[in-house]
PDB file of all heavy atoms in Angstrom:
ATOM      1  N   GLU A  26       0.830  -1.196   0.000  1.00 92.00           N
ATOM      2  CA  GLU A  26       0.000   0.000   0.000  1.00 92.00           C
ATOM      3  C   GLU A  26       0.871   1.255   0.000  1.00 92.00           C
ATOM      4  O   GLU A  26       0.559   2.240  -0.690  1.00 92.00           O
ATOM      5  CB  GLU A  26      -0.919   0.001   1.232  1.00 92.00           C
ATOM      6  CG  GLU A  26      -1.841   1.207   1.327  1.00 92.00           C
ATOM      7  CD  GLU A  26      -2.801   1.308   0.159  1.00 92.00           C
ATOM      8  OE1 GLU A  26      -3.155   0.278  -0.450  1.00 92.00           O
ATOM      9  OE2 GLU A  26      -3.198   2.448  -0.172  1.00 92.00           O
ATOM     10  N   TYR A  27       1.944   1.228   0.760  1.00 92.00           N
ATOM     11  CA  TYR A  27       2.825   2.399   0.819  1.00 92.00           C
ATOM     12  C   TYR A  27       3.437   2.693  -0.552  1.00 92.00           C
ATOM     13  O   TYR A  27       3.591   3.858  -0.943  1.00 92.00           O
ATOM     14  CB  TYR A  27       3.925   2.167   1.847  1.00 92.00           C
ATOM     15  CG  TYR A  27       4.819   3.364   2.067  1.00 92.00           C
ATOM     16  CD1 TYR A  27       4.476   4.363   2.970  1.00 92.00           C
ATOM     17  CD2 TYR A  27       6.008   3.513   1.344  1.00 92.00           C
ATOM     18  CE1 TYR A  27       5.281   5.474   3.163  1.00 92.00           C
ATOM     19  CE2 TYR A  27       6.830   4.618   1.525  1.00 92.00           C
ATOM     20  CZ  TYR A  27       6.449   5.599   2.438  1.00 92.00           C
ATOM     21  OH  TYR A  27       7.242   6.703   2.602  1.00 92.00           O
ATOM     22  N   ARG A  28       3.791   1.634  -1.283  1.00 90.00           N
ATOM     23  CA  ARG A  28       4.436   1.804  -2.588  1.00 90.00           C
ATOM     24  C   ARG A  28       3.458   2.122  -3.703  1.00 90.00           C
ATOM     25  O   ARG A  28       3.875   2.516  -4.798  1.00 90.00           O
ATOM     26  CB  ARG A  28       5.203   0.532  -2.956  1.00 90.00           C
ATOM     27  CG  ARG A  28       6.348   0.183  -2.018  1.00 90.00           C
ATOM     28  CD  ARG A  28       7.053  -1.083  -2.477  1.00 90.00           C
ATOM     29  NE  ARG A  28       7.706  -0.928  -3.765  1.00 90.00           N
ATOM     30  CZ  ARG A  28       7.307  -1.500  -4.883  1.00 90.00           C
ATOM     31  NH1 ARG A  28       6.252  -2.301  -4.901  1.00 90.00           N
ATOM     32  NH2 ARG A  28       7.954  -1.304  -6.008  1.00 90.00           N
ATOM     33  N   ARG A  29       2.183   1.956  -3.454  1.00 84.00           N
ATOM     34  CA  ARG A  29       1.188   2.043  -4.537  1.00 84.00           C
ATOM     35  C   ARG A  29       1.204   3.397  -5.239  1.00 84.00           C
ATOM     36  O   ARG A  29       1.036   3.477  -6.462  1.00 84.00           O
ATOM     37  CB  ARG A  29      -0.206   1.753  -3.978  1.00 84.00           C
ATOM     38  CG  ARG A  29      -1.226   1.406  -5.065  1.00 84.00           C
ATOM     39  CD  ARG A  29      -2.580   1.084  -4.457  1.00 84.00           C
ATOM     40  NE  ARG A  29      -2.506   0.128  -3.376  1.00 84.00           N
ATOM     41  CZ  ARG A  29      -2.380  -1.185  -3.535  1.00 84.00           C
ATOM     42  NH1 ARG A  29      -2.318  -1.680  -4.755  1.00 84.00           N
ATOM     43  NH2 ARG A  29      -2.318  -1.987  -2.481  1.00 84.00           N
ATOM     44  N   HIS A  30       1.373   4.463  -4.478  1.00 77.00           N
ATOM     45  CA  HIS A  30       1.242   5.798  -5.064  1.00 77.00           C
ATOM     46  C   HIS A  30       2.542   6.605  -4.994  1.00 77.00           C
ATOM     47  O   HIS A  30       2.502   7.827  -5.063  1.00 77.00           O
ATOM     48  CB  HIS A  30       0.114   6.561  -4.369  1.00 77.00           C
ATOM     49  CG  HIS A  30      -1.202   5.863  -4.428  1.00 77.00           C
ATOM     50  ND1 HIS A  30      -1.874   5.619  -5.611  1.00 77.00           N
ATOM     51  CD2 HIS A  30      -1.963   5.296  -3.444  1.00 77.00           C
ATOM     52  CE1 HIS A  30      -2.993   4.973  -5.362  1.00 77.00           C
ATOM     53  NE2 HIS A  30      -3.073   4.761  -4.058  1.00 77.00           N
ATOM     54  N   ARG A  31       3.653   5.920  -4.843  1.00 83.00           N
ATOM     55  CA  ARG A  31       4.931   6.627  -4.814  1.00 83.00           C
ATOM     56  C   ARG A  31       5.885   6.000  -5.827  1.00 83.00           C
ATOM     57  O   ARG A  31       5.881   4.786  -6.033  1.00 83.00           O
ATOM     58  CB  ARG A  31       5.578   6.564  -3.418  1.00 83.00           C
ATOM     59  CG  ARG A  31       5.883   5.148  -2.982  1.00 83.00           C
ATOM     60  CD  ARG A  31       6.720   5.080  -1.735  1.00 83.00           C
ATOM     61  NE  ARG A  31       8.088   5.494  -1.943  1.00 83.00           N
ATOM     62  CZ  ARG A  31       9.039   4.742  -2.499  1.00 83.00           C
ATOM     63  NH1 ARG A  31       8.726   3.519  -2.947  1.00 83.00           N
ATOM     64  NH2 ARG A  31      10.263   5.192  -2.625  1.00 83.00           N
ATOM     65  N   PRO A  32       6.687   6.824  -6.482  1.00 86.00           N
ATOM     66  CA  PRO A  32       7.654   6.263  -7.426  1.00 86.00           C
ATOM     67  C   PRO A  32       8.813   5.610  -6.701  1.00 86.00           C
ATOM     68  O   PRO A  32       9.211   6.075  -5.625  1.00 86.00           O
ATOM     69  CB  PRO A  32       8.116   7.492  -8.223  1.00 86.00           C
ATOM     70  CG  PRO A  32       7.938   8.631  -7.279  1.00 86.00           C
ATOM     71  CD  PRO A  32       6.722   8.289  -6.449  1.00 86.00           C
ATOM     72  N   PRO A  33       9.362   4.534  -7.235  1.00 87.00           N
ATOM     73  CA  PRO A  33      10.558   3.949  -6.623  1.00 87.00           C
ATOM     74  C   PRO A  33      11.736   4.898  -6.791  1.00 87.00           C
ATOM     75  O   PRO A  33      11.753   5.753  -7.676  1.00 87.00           O
ATOM     76  CB  PRO A  33      10.756   2.649  -7.412  1.00 87.00           C
ATOM     77  CG  PRO A  33      10.101   2.905  -8.731  1.00 87.00           C
ATOM     78  CD  PRO A  33       8.928   3.797  -8.437  1.00 87.00           C
ATOM     79  N   ALA A  34      12.726   4.752  -5.932  1.00 85.00           N
ATOM     80  CA  ALA A  34      13.911   5.620  -5.979  1.00 85.00           C
ATOM     81  C   ALA A  34      14.870   5.097  -7.046  1.00 85.00           C
ATOM     82  O   ALA A  34      15.882   4.463  -6.745  1.00 85.00           O
ATOM     83  CB  ALA A  34      14.587   5.663  -4.611  1.00 85.00           C
ATOM     84  N   LEU A  35      14.562   5.373  -8.302  1.00 88.00           N
ATOM     85  CA  LEU A  35      15.364   4.864  -9.405  1.00 88.00           C
ATOM     86  C   LEU A  35      16.652   5.671  -9.565  1.00 88.00           C
ATOM     87  O   LEU A  35      16.673   6.886  -9.386  1.00 88.00           O
ATOM     88  CB  LEU A  35      14.566   4.925 -10.708  1.00 88.00           C
ATOM     89  CG  LEU A  35      13.307   4.066 -10.780  1.00 88.00           C
ATOM     90  CD1 LEU A  35      12.645   4.224 -12.142  1.00 88.00           C
ATOM     91  CD2 LEU A  35      13.614   2.598 -10.515  1.00 88.00           C
ATOM     92  N   SER A  36      17.707   4.962  -9.926  1.00 85.00           N
ATOM     93  CA  SER A  36      18.982   5.625 -10.205  1.00 85.00           C
ATOM     94  C   SER A  36      18.895   6.332 -11.552  1.00 85.00           C
ATOM     95  O   SER A  36      17.964   6.137 -12.346  1.00 85.00           O
ATOM     96  CB  SER A  36      20.102   4.588 -10.238  1.00 85.00           C
ATOM     97  OG  SER A  36      19.921   3.705 -11.342  1.00 85.00           O
ATOM     98  N   GLY A  37      19.903   7.157 -11.818  1.00 86.00           N
ATOM     99  CA  GLY A  37      19.952   7.838 -13.116  1.00 86.00           C
ATOM    100  C   GLY A  37      20.006   6.855 -14.261  1.00 86.00           C
ATOM    101  O   GLY A  37      19.367   7.063 -15.306  1.00 86.00           O
ATOM    102  N   GLU A  38      20.751   5.756 -14.087  1.00 89.00           N
ATOM    103  CA  GLU A  38      20.837   4.748 -15.136  1.00 89.00           C
ATOM    104  C   GLU A  38      19.482   4.098 -15.385  1.00 89.00           C
ATOM    105  O   GLU A  38      19.081   3.883 -16.539  1.00 89.00           O
ATOM    106  CB  GLU A  38      21.859   3.685 -14.766  1.00 89.00           C
ATOM    107  CG  GLU A  38      22.024   2.600 -15.824  1.00 89.00           C
ATOM    108  CD  GLU A  38      22.991   1.517 -15.394  1.00 89.00           C
ATOM    109  OE1 GLU A  38      22.584   0.628 -14.598  1.00 89.00           O
ATOM    110  OE2 GLU A  38      24.147   1.550 -15.855  1.00 89.00           O
ATOM    111  N   SER A  39      18.745   3.817 -14.315  1.00 89.00           N
ATOM    112  CA  SER A  39      17.434   3.188 -14.473  1.00 89.00           C
ATOM    113  C   SER A  39      16.466   4.110 -15.195  1.00 89.00           C
ATOM    114  O   SER A  39      15.671   3.675 -16.038  1.00 89.00           O
ATOM    115  CB  SER A  39      16.864   2.801 -13.104  1.00 89.00           C
ATOM    116  OG  SER A  39      17.640   1.786 -12.511  1.00 89.00           O
ATOM    117  N   ARG A  40      16.520   5.393 -14.873  1.00 89.00           N
ATOM    118  CA  ARG A  40      15.646   6.350 -15.569  1.00 89.00           C
ATOM    119  C   ARG A  40      16.004   6.434 -17.053  1.00 89.00           C
ATOM    120  O   ARG A  40      15.116   6.556 -17.905  1.00 89.00           O
ATOM    121  CB  ARG A  40      15.748   7.722 -14.910  1.00 89.00           C
ATOM    122  CG  ARG A  40      15.094   7.783 -13.532  1.00 89.00           C
ATOM    123  CD  ARG A  40      15.343   9.115 -12.845  1.00 89.00           C
ATOM    124  NE  ARG A  40      14.728   9.163 -11.529  1.00 89.00           N
ATOM    125  CZ  ARG A  40      13.501   9.615 -11.283  1.00 89.00           C
ATOM    126  NH1 ARG A  40      12.758  10.085 -12.289  1.00 89.00           N
ATOM    127  NH2 ARG A  40      13.017   9.622 -10.066  1.00 89.00           N
ATOM    128  N   GLU A  41      17.301   6.349 -17.360  1.00 90.00           N
ATOM    129  CA  GLU A  41      17.698   6.376 -18.766  1.00 90.00           C
ATOM    130  C   GLU A  41      17.213   5.119 -19.479  1.00 90.00           C
ATOM    131  O   GLU A  41      16.771   5.179 -20.629  1.00 90.00           O
ATOM    132  CB  GLU A  41      19.221   6.485 -18.863  1.00 90.00           C
ATOM    133  CG  GLU A  41      19.752   6.551 -20.288  1.00 90.00           C
ATOM    134  CD  GLU A  41      19.253   7.763 -21.056  1.00 90.00           C
ATOM    135  OE1 GLU A  41      18.827   8.755 -20.419  1.00 90.00           O
ATOM    136  OE2 GLU A  41      19.296   7.717 -22.307  1.00 90.00           O
ATOM    137  N   ILE A  42      17.276   3.975 -18.792  1.00 91.00           N
ATOM    138  CA  ILE A  42      16.754   2.739 -19.393  1.00 91.00           C
ATOM    139  C   ILE A  42      15.267   2.882 -19.676  1.00 91.00           C
ATOM    140  O   ILE A  42      14.774   2.470 -20.738  1.00 91.00           O
ATOM    141  CB  ILE A  42      17.031   1.541 -18.462  1.00 91.00           C
ATOM    142  CG1 ILE A  42      18.526   1.227 -18.430  1.00 91.00           C
ATOM    143  CG2 ILE A  42      16.243   0.309 -18.910  1.00 91.00           C
ATOM    144  CD1 ILE A  42      18.924   0.157 -17.429  1.00 91.00           C
ATOM    145  N   LEU A  43      14.538   3.473 -18.750  1.00 88.00           N
ATOM    146  CA  LEU A  43      13.109   3.696 -18.978  1.00 88.00           C
ATOM    147  C   LEU A  43      12.876   4.582 -20.193  1.00 88.00           C
ATOM    148  O   LEU A  43      11.961   4.347 -20.997  1.00 88.00           O
ATOM    149  CB  LEU A  43      12.469   4.329 -17.743  1.00 88.00           C
ATOM    150  CG  LEU A  43      12.004   3.396 -16.631  1.00 88.00           C
ATOM    151  CD1 LEU A  43      11.471   4.209 -15.459  1.00 88.00           C
ATOM    152  CD2 LEU A  43      10.928   2.437 -17.132  1.00 88.00           C
ATOM    153  N   ARG A  44      13.682   5.631 -20.332  1.00 88.00           N
ATOM    154  CA  ARG A  44      13.518   6.520 -21.483  1.00 88.00           C
ATOM    155  C   ARG A  44      13.814   5.785 -22.785  1.00 88.00           C
ATOM    156  O   ARG A  44      13.126   5.987 -23.796  1.00 88.00           O
ATOM    157  CB  ARG A  44      14.422   7.742 -21.324  1.00 88.00           C
ATOM    158  CG  ARG A  44      13.908   8.754 -20.317  1.00 88.00           C
ATOM    159  CD  ARG A  44      14.665  10.064 -20.398  1.00 88.00           C
ATOM    160  NE  ARG A  44      15.998   9.960 -19.836  1.00 88.00           N
ATOM    161  CZ  ARG A  44      16.279  10.195 -18.560  1.00 88.00           C
ATOM    162  NH1 ARG A  44      15.317  10.564 -17.720  1.00 88.00           N
ATOM    163  NH2 ARG A  44      17.514  10.088 -18.115  1.00 88.00           N
ATOM    164  N   LEU A  45      14.828   4.925 -22.760  1.00 89.00           N
ATOM    165  CA  LEU A  45      15.159   4.165 -23.956  1.00 89.00           C
ATOM    166  C   LEU A  45      14.054   3.167 -24.286  1.00 89.00           C
ATOM    167  O   LEU A  45      13.707   2.961 -25.456  1.00 89.00           O
ATOM    168  CB  LEU A  45      16.495   3.445 -23.773  1.00 89.00           C
ATOM    169  CG  LEU A  45      17.726   4.360 -23.640  1.00 89.00           C
ATOM    170  CD1 LEU A  45      18.971   3.531 -23.335  1.00 89.00           C
ATOM    171  CD2 LEU A  45      17.924   5.184 -24.897  1.00 89.00           C
ATOM    172  N   LEU A  46      13.498   2.535 -23.244  1.00 86.00           N
ATOM    173  CA  LEU A  46      12.369   1.625 -23.476  1.00 86.00           C
ATOM    174  C   LEU A  46      11.197   2.384 -24.072  1.00 86.00           C
ATOM    175  O   LEU A  46      10.554   1.938 -25.025  1.00 86.00           O
ATOM    176  CB  LEU A  46      11.952   0.961 -22.165  1.00 86.00           C
ATOM    177  CG  LEU A  46      12.870  -0.117 -21.585  1.00 86.00           C
ATOM    178  CD1 LEU A  46      12.373  -0.553 -20.217  1.00 86.00           C
ATOM    179  CD2 LEU A  46      12.945  -1.310 -22.525  1.00 86.00           C
ATOM    180  N   GLY A  47      10.885   3.562 -23.478  1.00 82.00           N
ATOM    181  CA  GLY A  47       9.782   4.370 -23.977  1.00 82.00           C
ATOM    182  C   GLY A  47      10.032   4.891 -25.371  1.00 82.00           C
ATOM    183  O   GLY A  47       9.090   5.146 -26.132  1.00 82.00           O
ATOM    184  N   GLY A  48      11.328   5.046 -25.739  1.00 82.00           N
ATOM    185  CA  GLY A  48      11.671   5.531 -27.069  1.00 82.00           C
ATOM    186  C   GLY A  48      11.703   4.433 -28.113  1.00 82.00           C
ATOM    187  O   GLY A  48      11.959   4.718 -29.289  1.00 82.00           O
ATOM    188  N   GLY A  49      11.478   3.198 -27.730  1.00 84.00           N
ATOM    189  CA  GLY A  49      11.404   2.114 -28.703  1.00 84.00           C
ATOM    190  C   GLY A  49      12.743   1.527 -29.106  1.00 84.00           C
ATOM    191  O   GLY A  49      12.831   0.822 -30.108  1.00 84.00           O
ATOM    192  N   PHE A  50      13.811   1.797 -28.351  1.00 89.00           N
ATOM    193  CA  PHE A  50      15.115   1.232 -28.701  1.00 89.00           C
ATOM    194  C   PHE A  50      15.109  -0.270 -28.471  1.00 89.00           C
ATOM    195  O   PHE A  50      14.596  -0.760 -27.477  1.00 89.00           O
ATOM    196  CB  PHE A  50      16.215   1.855 -27.833  1.00 89.00           C
ATOM    197  CG  PHE A  50      16.660   3.216 -28.286  1.00 89.00           C
ATOM    198  CD1 PHE A  50      15.944   4.339 -27.922  1.00 89.00           C
ATOM    199  CD2 PHE A  50      17.778   3.357 -29.092  1.00 89.00           C
ATOM    200  CE1 PHE A  50      16.351   5.591 -28.337  1.00 89.00           C
ATOM    201  CE2 PHE A  50      18.198   4.607 -29.507  1.00 89.00           C
ATOM    202  CZ  PHE A  50      17.483   5.739 -29.136  1.00 89.00           C
ATOM    203  N   LYS A  51      15.706  -1.003 -29.416  1.00 91.00           N
ATOM    204  CA  LYS A  51      15.893  -2.431 -29.217  1.00 91.00           C
ATOM    205  C   LYS A  51      16.958  -2.652 -28.149  1.00 91.00           C
ATOM    206  O   LYS A  51      17.793  -1.781 -27.881  1.00 91.00           O
ATOM    207  CB  LYS A  51      16.297  -3.108 -30.536  1.00 91.00           C
ATOM    208  CG  LYS A  51      15.189  -3.096 -31.586  1.00 91.00           C
ATOM    209  CD  LYS A  51      15.597  -3.889 -32.784  1.00 91.00           C
ATOM    210  CE  LYS A  51      14.489  -3.910 -33.834  1.00 91.00           C
ATOM    211  NZ  LYS A  51      13.249  -4.520 -33.330  1.00 91.00           N
ATOM    212  N   ASP A  52      16.934  -3.841 -27.535  1.00 92.00           N
ATOM    213  CA  ASP A  52      17.843  -4.114 -26.425  1.00 92.00           C
ATOM    214  C   ASP A  52      19.304  -3.909 -26.810  1.00 92.00           C
ATOM    215  O   ASP A  52      20.090  -3.335 -26.052  1.00 92.00           O
ATOM    216  CB  ASP A  52      17.634  -5.540 -25.920  1.00 92.00           C
ATOM    217  CG  ASP A  52      16.336  -5.698 -25.148  1.00 92.00           C
ATOM    218  OD1 ASP A  52      15.595  -4.711 -25.019  1.00 92.00           O
ATOM    219  OD2 ASP A  52      16.078  -6.820 -24.663  1.00 92.00           O
ATOM    220  N   GLU A  53      19.682  -4.407 -27.984  1.00 93.00           N
ATOM    221  CA  GLU A  53      21.071  -4.313 -28.404  1.00 93.00           C
ATOM    222  C   GLU A  53      21.512  -2.857 -28.529  1.00 93.00           C
ATOM    223  O   GLU A  53      22.599  -2.468 -28.068  1.00 93.00           O
ATOM    224  CB  GLU A  53      21.281  -5.044 -29.733  1.00 93.00           C
ATOM    225  CG  GLU A  53      21.120  -6.561 -29.653  1.00 93.00           C
ATOM    226  CD  GLU A  53      19.654  -7.000 -29.669  1.00 93.00           C
ATOM    227  OE1 GLU A  53      18.763  -6.123 -29.744  1.00 93.00           O
ATOM    228  OE2 GLU A  53      19.425  -8.221 -29.569  1.00 93.00           O
ATOM    229  N   ALA A  54      20.666  -2.036 -29.142  1.00 93.00           N
ATOM    230  CA  ALA A  54      21.003  -0.622 -29.336  1.00 93.00           C
ATOM    231  C   ALA A  54      21.042   0.119 -28.000  1.00 93.00           C
ATOM    232  O   ALA A  54      21.925   0.947 -27.754  1.00 93.00           O
ATOM    233  CB  ALA A  54      19.990   0.033 -30.282  1.00 93.00           C
ATOM    234  N   ALA A  55      20.079  -0.196 -27.108  1.00 92.00           N
ATOM    235  CA  ALA A  55      20.041   0.463 -25.801  1.00 92.00           C
ATOM    236  C   ALA A  55      21.260   0.079 -24.967  1.00 92.00           C
ATOM    237  O   ALA A  55      21.855   0.923 -24.292  1.00 92.00           O
ATOM    238  CB  ALA A  55      18.756   0.100 -25.075  1.00 92.00           C
ATOM    239  N   ALA A  56      21.638  -1.206 -25.014  1.00 93.00           N
ATOM    240  CA  ALA A  56      22.801  -1.661 -24.251  1.00 93.00           C
ATOM    241  C   ALA A  56      24.064  -0.961 -24.738  1.00 93.00           C
ATOM    242  O   ALA A  56      24.896  -0.523 -23.929  1.00 93.00           O
ATOM    243  CB  ALA A  56      22.943  -3.175 -24.372  1.00 93.00           C
ATOM    244  N   ARG A  57      24.218  -0.847 -26.050  1.00 93.00           N
ATOM    245  CA  ARG A  57      25.395  -0.156 -26.588  1.00 93.00           C
ATOM    246  C   ARG A  57      25.408   1.301 -26.154  1.00 93.00           C
ATOM    247  O   ARG A  57      26.454   1.849 -25.793  1.00 93.00           O
ATOM    248  CB  ARG A  57      25.403  -0.247 -28.112  1.00 93.00           C
ATOM    249  CG  ARG A  57      25.838  -1.581 -28.678  1.00 93.00           C
ATOM    250  CD  ARG A  57      26.208  -1.463 -30.142  1.00 93.00           C
ATOM    251  NE  ARG A  57      25.110  -0.930 -30.942  1.00 93.00           N
ATOM    252  CZ  ARG A  57      24.158  -1.668 -31.496  1.00 93.00           C
ATOM    253  NH1 ARG A  57      24.190  -2.993 -31.343  1.00 93.00           N
ATOM    254  NH2 ARG A  57      23.197  -1.124 -32.205  1.00 93.00           N
ATOM    255  N   ARG A  58      24.258   1.936 -26.183  1.00 93.00           N
ATOM    256  CA  ARG A  58      24.171   3.350 -25.826  1.00 93.00           C
ATOM    257  C   ARG A  58      24.596   3.572 -24.366  1.00 93.00           C
ATOM    258  O   ARG A  58      25.203   4.595 -24.024  1.00 93.00           O
ATOM    259  CB  ARG A  58      22.732   3.832 -26.042  1.00 93.00           C
ATOM    260  CG  ARG A  58      22.556   5.343 -25.937  1.00 93.00           C
ATOM    261  CD  ARG A  58      21.101   5.699 -26.158  1.00 93.00           C
ATOM    262  NE  ARG A  58      20.929   7.138 -26.184  1.00 93.00           N
ATOM    263  CZ  ARG A  58      20.793   7.861 -27.286  1.00 93.00           C
ATOM    264  NH1 ARG A  58      20.843   7.262 -28.471  1.00 93.00           N
ATOM    265  NH2 ARG A  58      20.620   9.169 -27.222  1.00 93.00           N
ATOM    266  N   LEU A  59      24.282   2.607 -23.501  1.00 93.00           N
ATOM    267  CA  LEU A  59      24.601   2.731 -22.079  1.00 93.00           C
ATOM    268  C   LEU A  59      25.952   2.128 -21.714  1.00 93.00           C
ATOM    269  O   LEU A  59      26.379   2.229 -20.557  1.00 93.00           O
ATOM    270  CB  LEU A  59      23.509   2.059 -21.247  1.00 93.00           C
ATOM    271  CG  LEU A  59      22.122   2.707 -21.312  1.00 93.00           C
ATOM    272  CD1 LEU A  59      21.087   1.814 -20.644  1.00 93.00           C
ATOM    273  CD2 LEU A  59      22.144   4.077 -20.661  1.00 93.00           C
ATOM    274  N   GLY A  60      26.604   1.479 -22.675  1.00 93.00           N
ATOM    275  CA  GLY A  60      27.887   0.846 -22.386  1.00 93.00           C
ATOM    276  C   GLY A  60      27.750  -0.401 -21.533  1.00 93.00           C
ATOM    277  O   GLY A  60      28.651  -0.726 -20.745  1.00 93.00           O
ATOM    278  N   LEU A  61      26.617  -1.101 -21.658  1.00 93.00           N
ATOM    279  CA  LEU A  61      26.363  -2.313 -20.890  1.00 93.00           C
ATOM    280  C   LEU A  61      26.368  -3.523 -21.805  1.00 93.00           C
ATOM    281  O   LEU A  61      26.094  -3.406 -23.013  1.00 93.00           O
ATOM    282  CB  LEU A  61      25.000  -2.226 -20.190  1.00 93.00           C
ATOM    283  CG  LEU A  61      24.764  -1.063 -19.232  1.00 93.00           C
ATOM    284  CD1 LEU A  61      23.311  -1.082 -18.748  1.00 93.00           C
ATOM    285  CD2 LEU A  61      25.718  -1.134 -18.052  1.00 93.00           C
TER     286      LEU A  61
END
């Protein structure tokens, strides 16, 4: 219940991954972009 209406404390890298997911990047391209 506590977590239901609050955002998790995502790191900068996690937020960038979310943006890449939302932007439609394929996994391979997103991984290269992040150096992972």
Side-chain angles (χ1 to χ4, degrees):
E26 180 62 27
Y27 185 86
R28 297 181 65 250
R29 197 178 310 281
H30 303 296
R31 61 170 289 281
L35 297 181
S36 66
E38 181 183 79
S39 294
R40 289 174 180 268
E41 181 62 21
I42 290 174
L43 275 177
R44 284 192 286 270
L45 294 175
L46 287 174
F50 281 83
K51 293 186 179 299
D52 287 1
E53 292 80 0
R57 283 197 303 272
R58 190 180 185 101
L59 294 170
L61 302 175

